[in-house]
Amino acid sequence: MTAQIIDGNALSKQLRTQVAARAQALKIRGITPGLAVVLVGDNPASQVYVRNKVKACEDSGLHSVMEKYESSMTESELLARVDALNNDPNIHGILVQLPLPSHINAQRVIEAISPSKDVDGFHIASAGALMTGMPGFWPCTPYGCMKMLESIGYNLRGKHAVVIGRSNIVGKPMALMLLQQNATVTICHSATPDLKAMTLQADVIVAAVGKRNVLTADMVKPGAVVLDVGMNRDNEGKLCGDVDFEGVKKVASHITPVPGGVGPMTITMLLVNTLEAAERASN
Ligand code: NAP
């Protein structure tokens, strides 16, 4: 068997076309969906992420503002900026790029974002909404994974999903989203004694660890769907995921590549959340 590739770039293109059409419909009503991206410091990876997010907004007809500050910015100065953006009617989504310099309490900054503008879905109110099945913003990466499953018409009811990783931004929300769609969910982490014994039972595996080759072909049940969230560098410095792609694609029914899989979907879901925030604000 050779797995079908779930192409994150192609799906993103399709979803971004829908975002652009919905943004246009709002514009006719005098509202331009707006995202503010706040970057503190000069982390090179963060600068690339932020630029990509701003560009994606522009390409889809969303208004975006990028605020860039020196790493010497104080926490209270940053909180004051978040407050100003909370009160700016032209801004519907606020994203503070992480990581923040160590003298700033990132959680305090996230909690300062109005939940109605929390398009990253990291606010405790957003986490609570996901946990209880109430409306709120879902974190973009696991939300993108759910869209990828939807794109292949996958019905999660009665299926066993294994999530590897339990971070607040990927693993835990991923597990809750899968649970909401009636999967039976197992969450694995660094203290899981026998990862292979878990993954071999899975119909769906989501790898969100940040280590190469965490998932190899011998750990995958034939026909399983494998989503690779990981972003790592191989020995040649090339971007790769957590999954041994070449091996696992011979066993899985569907697989996401890295690059070109979950990565582009994350930015796409940020656009979807921003648009959704603008639509909610307009009603
Ligand atoms: P994280 O906060 O470092 O969490 C990693 C998780 O993996 C932890 O829960 C950890 O367990 C678990 N883990 C570590 N070693 C393990 C092992 N050998 N077996 C099983 N579990 C193990 O990372 P994250 O923020 O969730 O991100 C995970 C990966 O996804 C990273 O590569 C990141 O760059 C990538 N990512 C990609 C996107 C995208 O858009 N494509 C977005 C976000 C993140 P403990 O909790 O026990 O420590």
Side-chain angles (χ1 to χ4, degrees):
M1 175 187 298
T2 298
Q4 195 179 315
I5 308 293
I6 310 178
D7 182 340
N9 284 323
L11 182 56
S12 282
K13 201 169 163 198
Q14 210 178 309
L15 292 172
R16 289 183 197 195
T17 304
Q18 293 168 14
V19 166
R22 281 165 67 188
Q24 188 55 32
L26 274 179
K27 273 189 194 161
I28 291 165
R29 295 169 50 203
I31 302 152
T32 302
L35 173 71
V37 182
V38 181
L39 175 65
V40 184
D42 48 16
N43 180 317
S46 293
Q47 290 185 7
V48 174
Y49 295 148
V50 161
R51 246 194 329 262
N52 288 345
K53 288 167 186 173
V54 168
K55 182 171 184 312
C57 279
E58 283 163 8
D59 292 350
S60 297
L62 273 60
H63 163 65
S64 67
V65 177
M66 178 168 157
E67 298 197 3
K68 200 170 173 307
Y69 299 104
E70 298 292 319
S71 56
S72 57
M73 183 184 216
T74 65
E75 184 177 303
S76 53
E77 284 169 338
L78 179 55
L79 289 172
R81 276 315 304 151
V82 169
D83 190 45
L85 293 168
N86 280 339
N87 291 305
D88 184 340
N90 295 318
I91 294 299
H92 304 97
I94 303 169
L95 182 155
V96 178
Q97 184 66 43
L98 301 177
L100 286 168
S102 56
H103 64 276
I104 297 178
N105 181 327
Q107 197 54 41
R108 201 173 294 148
V109 173
I110 290 166
E111 298 313 327
I113 297 171
S114 165
S116 64
K117 297 190 179 188
D118 176 39
V119 288
D120 246 346
F122 294 167
H123 194 288
I124 205 157
S126 304
L130 172 59
M131 165 76 89
T132 52
M134 302 293 285
F137 293 110
W138 285 6
C140 301
T141 300
Y143 191 9
C145 289
M146 293 304 284
K147 282 284 170 195
M148 291 180 116
L149 289 174
E150 192 184 305
S151 76
I152 58 167
Y154 196 82
N155 182 1
L156 283 158
R157 174 176 283 275
K159 296 294 198 303
H160 185 189
V162 170
V163 179
I164 319 174
R166 57 171 164 180
S167 70
N168 288 337
I169 63 168
V170 189
K172 279 186 213 158
M174 183 79 251
L176 288 168
M177 289 173 201
L178 293 162
L179 185 64
Q180 209 174 84
Q181 293 295 313
N182 297 307
T184 300
V185 183
T186 300
I187 307 176
C188 299
H189 45 78
S190 66
T192 301
D194 188 351
L195 183 62
K196 181 176 170 179
M198 296 295 141
T199 56
L200 274 175
Q201 296 175 39
D203 302 301
V204 176
I205 304 172
V206 182
V209 174
K211 287 181 187 161
R212 283 173 62 199
N213 296 331
V214 154
L215 192 76
T216 47
D218 58 312
M219 300 168 74
V220 178
K221 182 168 83 172
V225 175
V226 176
L227 307 183
D228 191 352
V229 177
M231 282 200 309
N232 311 295
R233 296 275 165 193
D234 67 13
N235 293 339
E236 282 89 52
K238 279 200 305 197
L239 194 63
C240 66
D242 290 347
V243 175
D244 169 23
F245 182 80
E246 290 306 321
V248 172
K249 80 173 185 199
K250 297 190 181 97
V251 186
S253 67
H254 297 79
I255 189 168
T256 65
V258 178
V262 176
M265 290 300 292
T266 297
I267 299 190
T268 298
M269 300 326 289
L270 175 69
L271 303 180
V272 169
N273 278 349
T274 303
L275 181 77
E276 186 80 32
E279 287 176 346
R280 287 182 201 171
S282 75
N283 290 326

